[in-house]
Amino acid sequence: MNKFTYLYKRLNSTFWFKPLLIVMLGFVLSIFFLYLDTKTGYEPDGIFRMILSGSSESARSVLSAIASAMIGVAGTVFSITLVVLTLATNQFGSRLLRNFMYQNMNQIVLGSYAGTYLYCLIVLNAVKGQETFTFVPNISVLFSLVLAVVNLVLLIFFIHHVSVSIQSHNVIENIVQSFKKQSDTIYPEEIGFDFDTSSDLKQQLKAFTKTHVVSQKAGYLQYVDEDIYQYAIDHGFIIKVHHRPGHYIIANIPIATIYNVENEDVEEINKTVSDYLPMDRLDTDFQNPEFSIHQIVEVACRALSAGINDNYTVITCIDKLTYIL
């Protein structure tokens, strides 16, 4: 269903969704490894005794050092991301900000450092070194060292990713790939048929009763849910949608017309059809390949400005637009 696909895409494209999932994963892992420590009572032996001393003070020191380092690097990563966003805004325009913010690497790195910090914080709180009760979660501490190594590797990949992602040809290529993904999803599938090519149908519609579905708020039409086609078949309606995804619609104007409505609850029908045509304040590329074309055109227009004057970027934009067409 387009509705669930769109909801997943919107959540997946928000900047906080993946970092939040990774932070939650860090919380779950901390509980899991602490539970594992309570069940096994693992004591370091052999080569692991060289890494873990098994004392509560040593465990606290390791966890405190990792937690402090992770939260510090997380701030650095956030600062680097802001610098990249500033440069992208000046060179490519604010419409492309979402392209940088929604990149998986940026979200994963930020979420990984925040999740590791939370993991170390919870495990640190579980370390007990009192005279009456001693608990040193050696497995949890060992896993925190593994997380620290993984985060260091991620930092190297992140720096490389940032330096590559801001290059103009990569920015344009990412837009083209987004366009290709959307066009492959939409075409050659079609929903319903074209009213403009059905002259006989136009004559028949004149004899049908009709009602208009009025937009309740202003915004961009996000998508046309494919279930609207089955809804029309099940109820014997003919639904004419006046706009396509990406169009800006003001409030209180007809967004669709329903034909052959007899002895039906008009308000309920209007509400149902409106749910199949959701609107939001921001335009997206979902069911709207033209959105990607506008982004490439904006990059080309900015590259032609006197302040940037990057002719080779314009040539790249023309080449990619030729490929798209």
Side-chain angles (χ1 to χ4, degrees):
M1 292 179 59
N2 273 339
K3 184 179 296 184
F4 294 107
T5 303
Y6 172 76
L7 179 61
Y8 171 76
K9 181 180 176 63
R10 286 301 299 268
L11 287 175
N12 193 45
S13 62
T14 53
F15 185 74
W16 53 266
F17 182 65
K18 288 180 181 177
L20 182 61
L21 285 181
I22 298 175
V23 170
M24 292 174 61
L25 178 61
F27 174 78
V28 173
L29 287 175
S30 65
I31 301 300
F32 170 76
F33 281 104
L34 286 174
Y35 174 79
L36 199 62
D37 276 308
T38 58
K39 290 299 182 181
T40 60
Y42 171 75
E43 293 292 336
D45 191 16
I47 190 173
F48 292 106
R49 192 168 181 82
M50 303 295 295
I51 302 174
L52 302 172
S53 66
S55 65
S56 59
E57 291 300 325
S58 175
R60 287 196 184 98
S61 300
V62 171
L63 292 171
S64 300
I66 294 176
S68 301
M70 292 302 106
I71 199 65
V73 177
T76 303
V77 168
F78 186 71
S79 300
I80 294 175
T81 304
L82 290 180
V83 172
V84 171
L85 293 180
T86 303
L87 294 175
T89 303
N90 295 333
Q91 185 171 359
F92 304 117
S94 59
R95 284 164 55 89
L96 289 174
L97 276 181
R98 287 183 290 178
N99 295 39
F100 290 94
M101 293 177 63
Y102 300 160
Q103 289 178 357
N104 291 330
M105 178 59 73
N106 297 343
Q107 299 176 11
I108 290 174
V109 170
L110 186 59
S112 177
Y113 282 103
T116 303
Y117 171 76
L118 180 62
Y119 174 90
C120 294
L121 204 63
I122 295 175
V123 176
L124 179 62
N125 186 60
V127 177
K128 306 298 181 183
Q130 303 172 357
E131 295 181 359
T132 57
F133 176 69
T134 301
F135 175 66
V136 181
N138 291 301
I139 298 179
S140 301
V141 175
L142 182 62
F143 187 73
S144 69
L145 294 174
V146 175
L147 289 178
V149 174
V150 172
N151 285 327
L152 287 176
V153 175
L154 278 178
L155 180 61
I156 296 174
F157 279 104
F158 174 75
I159 294 174
H160 173 265
H161 170 75
V162 167
S163 62
V164 170
S165 64
I166 202 171
Q167 297 177 13
S168 59
H169 62 276
N170 286 324
V171 173
I172 300 170
E173 181 61 28
N174 290 335
I175 299 174
V176 173
Q177 292 303 319
S178 175
F179 168 87
K180 187 176 184 302
K181 182 179 179 181
Q182 291 299 325
S183 61
D184 290 344
T185 302
I186 299 173
Y187 305 107
E189 297 180 1
E190 295 181 357
I191 300 177
F193 47 85
D194 192 353
F195 267 82
D196 295 334
T197 59
S198 306
S199 57
D200 295 338
L201 178 61
K202 292 181 180 179
Q203 296 298 326
Q204 298 176 14
L205 291 180
K206 294 180 180 180
F208 291 163
T209 57
K210 64 180 180 179
T211 181
H212 295 291
V213 178
V214 179
S215 59
Q216 301 299 318
K217 63 178 182 179
Y220 291 94
L221 180 60
Q222 300 295 292
Y223 64 93
V224 178
D225 195 329
E226 59 189 18
D227 288 344
I228 192 176
Y229 189 48
Q230 189 61 43
Y231 175 78
I233 294 176
D234 294 341
H235 292 79
F237 300 153
I238 296 176
I239 303 177
K240 180 179 181 180
V241 181
H242 301 302
H243 303 274
R244 60 176 176 81
H247 279 181
Y248 186 78
I249 303 172
I250 62 176
N252 300 320
I253 67 168
I255 58 175
T257 301
I258 307 176
Y259 296 89
N260 200 25
V261 181
E262 297 180 357
N263 300 324
E264 297 282 355
D265 188 351
V266 176
E267 293 185 2
E268 182 65 24
I269 295 174
N270 288 347
K271 182 179 183 304
T272 303
V273 174
S274 297
D275 292 338
Y276 290 132
L277 305 172
M279 291 182 293
D280 201 357
R281 59 188 182 88
L282 296 177
D283 191 12
T284 68
D285 61 348
F286 191 72
Q287 283 193 3
N288 182 23
E290 194 178 70
F291 181 83
S292 299
I293 296 178
H294 288 165
Q295 287 185 317
I296 297 178
V297 171
E298 182 175 358
V299 173
C301 291
R302 283 182 172 269
L304 283 173
S305 65
I308 298 177
N309 193 24
D310 186 359
N311 297 326
Y312 288 101
T313 297
V314 180
I315 294 174
T316 302
C317 291
I318 295 174
D319 292 338
K320 297 302 181 179
L321 287 173
T322 303
Y323 164 75
I324 286 176
L325 295 176

